Amino acid sequence: MSTYQTEEEQVEAIKKWWKENGKSVVGGIALGLAVVGGGKGWLEYQRIQAENASANFENFSQAALVGNLETAVQRGEALIREYKGSTYALFTALELARLQYQAGDKDKAKARLQWVLDNSSKDAISQLAKIRMARLLLDMKNFDAAAELAANPADDAYLGEFLSIQGDVKLARGDREAARTAFAQALEKGVSNPTLISMKLTELGG
């Protein structure tokens, strides 16, 4: 399954933005609340929380980078518990899903992605989780659920990815003509792995 390779650049772009801007965003919100409520203590608390979450995410990322699954899971779960409402928790759950899928535990990977879908209010992260969940469901042969997630995508930067998933579902169900159409549309809209989609399209005679 190409799920965790094809969207990594998108995930890294979001991570980079948050690393550069996350603290200022949290700080800005906290400052606004402090001005309204006169709470300097709340401002300081938010600043400390943002710094702690960032440090914990860096520690988790290091364990994930070297492939230490046990340590990564321990650090990741602790971060999610402690900073559940943060963007760092969402990134952590996405990364844990990737690690646990690669370790062969599809059910745990699915649970992590579902957590992101249930807890994210950020559209870009929600869309990535939705794409990954749909592809995981495809891998688990749950075609109906994958098709439901990929149906009626928003007309945005991820449209091509959802169309490619629709193509995979139709191909798995034996509808080669519909799959060819979906793959062609996906290429037109733009996908993160055009070479793979082009190969599928060629195999279908497109």
Side-chain angles (χ1 to χ4, degrees):
M1 185 176 67
S2 60
T3 302
Y4 296 110
Q5 287 73 41
T6 57
E7 283 93 39
E8 281 308 303
E9 288 185 0
Q10 294 165 316
V11 172
E12 288 305 317
I14 298 172
K15 283 183 181 179
K16 182 179 179 181
W17 183 92
W18 183 256
K19 187 172 183 179
E20 293 173 352
N21 300 280
K23 290 180 182 178
S24 62
V25 170
V26 172
I29 294 171
L31 180 58
L33 291 171
V35 169
V36 173
K40 291 184 178 180
W42 175 250
L43 173 60
E44 180 66 10
Y45 170 78
Q46 289 292 84
R47 183 188 66 78
I48 293 173
Q49 284 291 93
E51 290 180 354
N52 289 344
S54 177
N56 277 273
F57 183 73
E58 289 298 324
N59 290 336
F60 160 75
S61 296
Q62 286 300 314
L65 184 65
V66 299
N68 189 332
L69 179 60
E70 183 177 355
T71 300
V73 169
Q74 290 175 351
R75 291 178 180 177
E77 289 182 342
L79 190 156
I80 290 170
R81 284 194 305 271
E82 190 70 21
Y83 307 101
K84 182 179 178 180
S86 72
T87 301
Y88 294 110
L90 299 174
F91 284 140
T92 298
L94 282 174
E95 183 66 6
L96 283 175
R98 182 186 69 84
L99 293 172
Q100 290 177 312
Y101 172 81
Q102 290 180 341
D105 199 332
K106 297 178 184 179
D107 288 333
K108 285 186 178 178
K110 180 182 176 183
R112 301 291 185 191
L113 293 173
Q114 188 60 56
W115 186 89
V116 176
L117 290 172
D118 291 341
N119 290 276
S120 177
S121 60
K122 303 180 185 305
D123 187 61
I125 298 176
S126 295
Q127 293 302 302
L128 283 171
K130 196 173 182 180
I131 290 167
R132 291 186 171 191
M133 176 68 90
R135 288 187 172 146
L136 177 58
L137 290 168
L138 267 170
D139 191 53
M140 298 173 76
K141 312 300 183 187
N142 192 340
F143 303 131
D144 289 342
E148 184 177 351
L149 274 178
N152 303 315
D155 188 10
D156 58 16
Y158 297 98
L159 179 56
E161 304 297 343
F162 286 108
L163 286 167
S164 72
I165 295 168
Q166 291 177 19
D168 284 327
V169 171
K170 294 178 190 303
L171 184 59
R173 288 172 167 170
D175 192 342
R176 294 172 62 86
E177 182 63 32
R180 182 164 56 245
T181 299
F183 288 140
Q185 291 175 342
L187 281 177
E188 289 178 4
K189 295 298 181 180
V191 290
S192 54
N193 194 339
T195 301
L196 177 61
I197 303 304
S198 294
M199 289 174 60
K200 291 179 180 181
L201 195 56
T202 300
E203 291 173 0
L204 291 168

